[in-house]
Amino acid sequence: MKKVYIETYGCQMNVADTEVVFSILGAHGYVRTESIDEADVIMANTCSIRDNAEQRILGRIGQFVLQRKSRPVIIGILGCMAERMKEQLLSDGRVDLVAGPDAYRRLPQLLEAASEGHPQIDVILSREETYADINPVRIDKGGVSAFISIMRGCNNVCSYCVVPYTRGVERSRDARTIVREACDCFERGYREVTLLGQNVDSYNFEGVSFAKLLEMVAGVSPQLRVRFSTSNPQDISDEVLETMAAHPNICRHIHLPVQSGSDRILEKMRRRYSAAWYLERVAKIRELMPDCAITTDVIAGFCSETEEDHQLTLDLFEKVGFDAAFMFAYSERPGTLAARKYPDDVPQDVKVRRLNEIIALQNRLSLESNRRDVGKEFEVLVEGPSKRSADELCGRTGSNKMCVWADTAHKPGDYVRVRVLDCTQATLLCELVG
Ligand code: 5AD
Ligand code: SF4
């Protein structure tokens, strides 16, 4: 039996893909190891979203190669960097195998050929592949929350984004296989599933819309929480919001990446909405679900961004009062529309300063959001012991806020009721109720 070690970088979709890879390899006599020192095959499932993500992984390959001193090891690059850099990754002889996101079914053959000393590459993107029939081998340790991939690829061409090039065209997975996977998770003790896609609102499988799919998965059990990511502001429909509102087990949390608060920048980014449209969607969400958390992604210093544009982003953050945000400095990606059309002309120090201003503002907004929860009660899904103490448990609210409370009686996968006594910017400090 050959032992396979995989490091996963980037988004939740990559975690789901690594689970598919372990399943495919498991059916061909490979076993998973979490120790790099005993692996016969070492792979990185990679991310190309920003240059620093790629640089980190390229540095890591150097450490993988050191393992060859003690034994023969196959080194493989999977995922988005495989797709973006292709043969380049094979050029210095350190990597034996390069496989893009749609090539995982062929990994057993590729690994066999690579082990005979022939470097292998498969970066062909598919219009159909969804790995619908593959039963993923879960890699998270908790056994409470699972990712379920519902679609692959992306048909939006946001001008900054490399994903359409690395993951290909959009395709939706057979709804029946998604519901089956959710049932299977529930039967094995999972109590939360997150439905994943680059743009979940454009899910469509033989007439089953995303709203319908949400309803089907929510119907698996009232004890199964359903989350989803990611929604695009131009596509999130009232039907989806109404479906959420009608099902208490669909978590009150929407991740709605805004990217910028300036209409001029949004247009250059090729986002198909305005700041006013975004604010209208936020108002609709809050009208239907006043307790719904809204989180976002934002990019500081996109091509031609002025101080006025940046101020509009800060203003929008203030108006929405996001519960949390992922915040990035713009990183030009080769081959994207922005790289071809617009100069990357905001100086690095200006990007960093603007990013830091957004982070400082969001830190305050996150704290304010948590303070509003002090005194309230929530149903929390237990994840496990808290980081601080063995006598404390941690788990999340439906709005995805981390709670800790003193408790030695419950176990991961239980639902408990807590009251919030105090908070930090990152955590709700609670007590058990009842
Ligand atoms: N530079 C910086 N951030 C980016 N993102 C996507 N592409 C880039 C880029 N070229 C961010 C967006 C997206 C998140 C996943 O990563 O905010 O929503
Ligand atoms: Fe995920 Fe995008 Fe990174 Fe690919 S480039 S791993 S799709 S975040």
Side-chain angles (χ1 to χ4, degrees):
M1 294 272 249
K2 291 210 160 155
K3 293 188 176 135
V4 186
Y5 170 89
I6 305 181
E7 267 175 30
T8 305
Y9 295 85
C11 60
Q12 298 170 331
M13 187 70 83
N14 260 14
V15 174
D17 279 3
T18 294
E19 297 180 332
V20 163
V21 168
F22 276 122
S23 175
I24 291 169
L25 292 180
H28 287 79
Y30 291 86
V31 289
R32 175 179 177 218
T33 175
E34 288 178 71
S35 156
I36 191 167
D37 298 315
E38 60 172 37
D40 304 296
V41 178
I42 300 175
M43 299 200 279
N45 192 2
T46 61
C47 174
S48 288
I49 199 92
R50 283 168 291 276
D51 184 59
N52 56 9
E54 289 195 343
Q55 294 308 324
R56 212 166 100 226
I57 293 161
L58 291 173
R60 195 65 189 127
I61 297 173
Q63 285 162 302
F64 292 170
V65 172
L66 296 178
Q67 295 284 332
R68 284 196 181 132
K69 286 189 177 156
S70 59
R71 63 194 189 285
V73 175
I74 300 287
I75 297 176
I77 299 293
L78 310 178
C80 291
M81 270 173 82
E83 202 58 55
R84 199 187 76 70
M85 298 179 69
K86 303 189 165 68
E87 286 85 2
Q88 252 184 77
L89 290 166
L90 292 174
S91 62
D92 61 6
R94 299 192 302 172
V95 171
D96 305 295
L97 177 155
V98 174
D102 290 339
Y104 299 151
R105 283 184 205 270
R106 286 198 55 223
L107 275 175
Q109 294 96 293
L110 295 170
L111 279 172
E112 197 176 308
S115 68
E116 286 158 10
H118 312 293
Q120 296 293 307
I121 178 162
D122 186 343
V123 288
I124 296 168
L125 287 172
S126 159
R127 293 186 157 269
E128 289 95 30
E129 181 63 271
T130 58
Y131 301 111
D133 56 315
I134 307 268
N135 199 2
V137 173
R138 306 285 166 198
I139 59 174
D140 80 304
K141 295 193 194 76
V144 173
S145 185
F147 295 133
I148 300 182
S149 158
I150 64 163
M151 56 202 297
R152 300 182 71 79
C154 186
N155 283 356
N156 291 333
V157 252
C158 303
S159 64
Y160 51 82
C161 189
V162 76
V163 173
Y165 308 95
T166 62
R167 287 189 166 268
V169 297
E170 197 171 276
R171 55 227 113 111
S172 297
R173 174 177 169 190
D174 186 332
R176 287 159 298 200
T177 70
I178 295 169
V179 174
R180 204 180 304 141
E181 191 173 327
C183 282
D184 183 54
C185 285
F186 186 73
E187 279 162 15
R188 286 191 291 149
Y190 287 86
R191 289 296 172 265
E192 183 174 275
V193 293
T194 304
L195 308 180
L196 297 178
Q198 298 297 342
N199 185 10
V200 290
D201 300 284
S202 61
Y203 176 88
N204 185 326
F205 183 83
E206 294 177 356
V208 178
S209 66
F210 181 59
K212 181 72 195 150
L213 179 73
L214 261 182
E215 190 178 308
M216 287 159 68
V217 177
V220 167
S221 166
Q223 292 293 303
L224 183 71
R225 276 182 172 183
V226 185
R227 297 184 182 280
F228 58 89
S229 187
T230 296
S231 309
N232 277 346
Q234 67 266 30
D235 296 323
I236 189 164
S237 65
D238 288 354
E239 199 194 350
V240 165
L241 301 180
E242 283 154 11
T243 304
M244 287 179 77
H247 293 85
N249 61 327
I250 304 180
C251 288
R252 299 303 191 241
H253 172 208
I254 297 180
H255 186 64
L256 201 61
V258 69
Q259 314 300 3
S260 170
S262 155
D263 289 347
R264 191 182 67 82
I265 294 295
L266 286 171
E267 192 173 333
K268 286 195 120 163
M269 288 177 160
R270 285 231 186 174
R271 303 287 285 175
R272 290 170 288 117
Y273 55 87
S274 61
W277 168 275
Y278 189 92
L279 292 171
E280 186 282 325
R281 290 286 78 194
V282 168
K284 186 75 191 182
I285 293 167
R286 291 190 170 146
E287 177 198 319
L288 291 173
M289 294 170 285
D291 54 345
C292 188
I294 301 177
T295 59
T296 202
D297 292 344
V298 67
I299 300 177
F302 184 67
C303 313
S304 85
E305 187 189 73
T306 63
E307 287 305 320
E308 290 71 44
D309 294 318
H310 169 59
Q311 191 56 51
L312 289 167
T313 297
L314 294 172
D315 293 347
L316 183 134
F317 266 60
E318 196 82 64
K319 276 185 203 148
V320 177
F322 291 112
D323 297 280
F326 296 107
M327 299 159 277
F328 311 102
Y330 174 59
S331 164
E332 186 178 82
R333 307 314 293 133
T336 56
L337 199 71
R340 284 179 275 143
K341 246 176 111 176
Y342 309 123
D344 180 12
D345 53 3
V346 177
Q348 186 62 19
D349 59 324
V350 176
K351 281 185 192 169
V352 170
R353 196 247 310 141
R354 289 181 189 166
L355 175 62
N356 285 335
E357 286 175 13
I358 301 173
I359 292 173
L361 170 56
Q362 183 54 46
N363 285 347
R364 173 166 65 75
L365 295 175
S366 299
L367 183 60
E368 285 173 11
S369 159
N370 283 352
R371 283 208 180 120
R372 284 194 292 274
D373 287 340
V374 173
K376 291 188 195 160
E377 289 185 14
F378 292 98
E379 180 179 72
V380 167
L381 175 60
V382 179
E383 288 181 12
S386 86
K387 277 188 220 134
R388 275 195 326 206
S389 153
D391 300 331
E392 275 182 359
L393 292 176
C394 72
R396 283 168 199 280
T397 64
S399 59
N400 210 33
K401 288 186 181 178
M402 183 52 86
C403 299
V404 296
W405 66 95
D407 188 346
T408 48
H410 293 96
K411 56 179 197 313
D414 287 348
Y415 286 100
V416 299
R417 252 197 116 63
V418 301
R419 183 183 300 114
V420 184
L421 302 173
D422 198 359
C423 67
T424 66
Q425 184 197 302
T427 313
L428 301 180
L429 310 169
C430 309
E431 65 175 2
L432 266 181
V433 178

